[in-house]
Amino acid sequence: MPAADSALGGYDPQAGRSERHGLHAYPAGADRVPTLIPLPGLLRSLLTEHLDPGYAAAAAERQRTGTSRRPVVTRAWQALAALLIAAVFAAAVAQARSTAPGVNAAQQVLAASVRSSEGTTDRLTSRRDDLATQVDDIQRRQLRDDATGRDLLSRLDALSLAAATTAVIGPGLTITVTDPGMARDLTDVSKQRVPGSRQVILDRDLQLVVNSLWASGAEAISVGGVRMGPNVTIRQAGGAILVDNHPISSPYTILAVGPPNSMRDSFDHSGGLQRLRLLEASYGVGVSVASGDGLSLPAGAVREIKFAKQIGP
């Protein structure tokens, strides 16, 4: 083994010779020979040969021919694969361009259908409200003739107010919340409230405000012109806020009928207003709280009763 090769990987040519019984320990002409410790061939190969034999053969072939040539078949397959990928992309682009007009037409048809359905819903709602008003007038005329009817009518009025099925006019508070449309460039990424959207006000913000108004003594509340009552929810649907499945948009107007002074004092220290003030300072949300007289709240939708259970005596 050459000296240069034997030095690779820390291999010592004298490895395996006993220093205690080496040649230098015996005088010239002695019969004894040095004791050798066998060194396994695999270990010697790992210490001296760091490259796979295939690499050495390839290097030798490249050095002999002076160049490295790839087989023609390999290059042909690579060219064919590149052409196939280009053909797939070209077909996808052509298909996208051919279907674009149809997609736009379908979107326009769907938008027109939605607008037509909304118009029909509004007309039916107005018709339902008119019929409900007529029924209420007939009911009152029939019940106000005797004492029993008047007592029943008084109880029905109280229940209608609790069920939000009666329109209300009175003093109270007007809370207006305006979404800025774009949040400020804050370094804290956790303040991105809706990923990919410029919306700042969410359903949970309005829910907290409404609950705070109830706790402050409000007798009737409407959000975006929709009366709050039993089974009425405020939900987030993508970038839209739905109140009883009716979409509302900024500015969000919340009306609360009740004693304005005491209700204002309680609401000023509530969690709902504190949340709005925090959004105002962090994102530039517009928050306005004002007292007023003659606030008009519409009647809520009448819910169909499936079953009822008496609670208490």
Side-chain angles (χ1 to χ4, degrees), residues 10-13 34 65 88 107 123 133 137 154 172 175 178 190 203 247 254-255 259 262 264 275 283 289-290 304:
Y11 175 72
D12 186 1
T65 59
V88 171
Q107 290 177 348
R123 289 192 299 271
T133 301
D137 292 341
S154 177
I175 297 92
T178 305
S190 65
D203 54 353
I254 304 173
L255 302 179
S262 60
R264 178 66 180 269
R275 169 75 69 85
Y283 299 96
V289 181
E304 183 179 357

Side-chain angles (χ1 to χ4, degrees), residues 166-183:
T166 303
V168 175
I169 299 177
L173 299 180
T174 301
I175 297 92
T176 305
V177 183
T178 305
D179 200 315
M182 179 180 294

